[in-house]
Amino acid sequence: MRILICNDDGIHAPGIAALHGAVKQFGELHVIAPDAERSAAGHAITLADPIKSMPIEKNGEFFGYGIGGTPADCIKLAVCAVMKDTPPDLVLSGINLGSNTGISVIYSGTVSAATEAVILGIPGVAFSLCTYTNPEWEMAGRIVKELTQKLIENPMPPNVLLNINMPNLPYEQLKGIKVTRMGRSRFIEKFHKRLDPQGRTYYWLDGALEVQDDGADVDIHAVRDGYVSITPIHLDLTSYGHLKTFQSLEKTF
Ligand code: MN
């Protein structure tokens, strides 16, 4: 079993080390991740610039390659170039610091690494720990290990990725694991307007997720209630319910 590991917090982030530690017993690990934080990179790829690759050591040992690109770049580069002759059997992304529930999925670099894997025909899973402070890495590592083992025993079907969000609780305080749907939500944007030392204006984006969904089966609510949330996500963005709505635009020439 060859497992490719990526995340969007960068190859030096604590979450990628936690993920690496949690799954190393399952096979041969390959780490190919952005060389710096690329959170909220979405599914961007790099076309106009060269993509740098640097070997990175941790504790005096080779850990992986730090890539001057996005999470989607990393998976493409790994599968189509670096590991071309021996492609990964599974791609794991994370463990991200901060939730990737609701509409965050659209902006998430963590999810996009798993998405790119699925586009390339390889099972992909994204893991996020829903906090920015005092992360419960031990719990997160245990959950990642348990779920990865199950996914190795029962391989995932094609064309679907899993988006897994964990509440920041000690393992013993978790309520359970729930399969959920992506909750309808949006960000309430807040741009902080400031002046730089030269007196020029700059803006810094901040925002809070507003939930517009009361469903009990929603990712955001599962995490709030102490459950690990597993959302299967597919890549077909077609709004099937609206195919008829727009049929009047059709015309035959
Ligand atoms: Mn991130």
Side-chain angles (χ1 to χ4, degrees), residues 20 29-31 54-66:
H20 188 276
L29 301 194
H30 298 260
V31 179
M54 284 283 286
I56 301 291
E57 286 191 357
K58 261 187 196 175
N59 307 319
E61 275 180 35
F62 174 72
F63 181 66
Y65 292 100

Side-chain angles (χ1 to χ4, degrees), residues 7-10 37-40 96-98 100 108-110 132:
N7 78 355
D8 76 355
D9 294 338
E37 180 171 353
R38 299 303 294 261
S39 289
N96 187 61
L97 267 188
N100 278 308
S108 171
T110 305
Y132 292 104

Side-chain angles (χ1 to χ4, degrees), residues 1-210:
M1 167 74 53
R2 269 185 302 277
I3 302 175
L4 171 61
I5 285 180
C6 188
N7 78 355
D8 76 355
D9 294 338
I11 195 161
H12 302 290
I16 199 166
L19 175 57
H20 188 276
V23 300
K24 65 180 172 206
Q25 70 193 93
F26 296 132
E28 191 185 301
L29 301 194
H30 298 260
V31 179
I32 298 186
D35 56 9
E37 180 171 353
R38 299 303 294 261
S39 289
H43 209 89
I45 55 171
T46 304
L47 292 176
D49 292 300
I51 301 172
K52 279 187 249 176
S53 169
M54 284 283 286
I56 301 291
E57 286 191 357
K58 261 187 196 175
N59 307 319
E61 275 180 35
F62 174 72
F63 181 66
Y65 292 100
I67 304 298
T70 66
D73 283 332
C74 292
I75 305 305
K76 274 192 197 297
L77 184 69
V79 175
C80 305
V82 181
M83 300 176 69
K84 191 171 186 272
D85 299 325
T86 50
D89 303 299
L90 178 64
V91 173
L92 302 178
S93 176
I95 303 169
N96 187 61
L97 267 188
S99 66
N100 278 308
T101 51
I103 200 66
S104 304
V105 168
I106 295 291
Y107 306 99
S108 171
T110 305
V111 174
S112 277
T115 306
E116 187 58 42
V118 171
I119 292 171
L120 297 171
I122 297 161
V125 185
F127 293 101
S128 300
L129 180 53
C130 300
T131 187
Y132 292 104
T133 51
N134 304 316
E136 293 280 352
W137 291 124
E138 198 198 325
M139 174 283 298
R142 275 177 79 176
I143 292 293
V144 167
K145 191 168 154 185
E146 280 178 27
L147 291 175
T148 302
Q149 175 143 33
K150 288 198 170 163
L151 293 172
I152 291 171
E153 288 163 6
N154 303 289
M156 288 163 59
N159 302 319
V160 64
L161 61 114
L162 291 182
N163 180 33
I164 298 178
N165 282 276
M166 298 172 269
N168 193 45
L169 294 170
Y171 189 89
E172 295 71 28
Q173 288 178 28
L174 288 175
K175 290 270 164 46
I177 298 176
K178 264 189 187 173
V179 176
T180 60
R181 62 185 175 83
M182 180 178 148
R184 208 158 34 80
S185 51
R186 59 157 290 189
F187 277 97
I188 302 301
E189 313 295 0
K190 187 177 173 193
F191 282 95
H192 297 264
K193 186 179 180 182
R194 296 176 187 166
L195 295 178
D196 78 2
Q198 278 78 42
R200 293 170 299 205
T201 301
Y202 68 92
Y203 295 89
W204 203 319
L205 176 58
D206 184 16
L209 193 67
E210 183 188 61

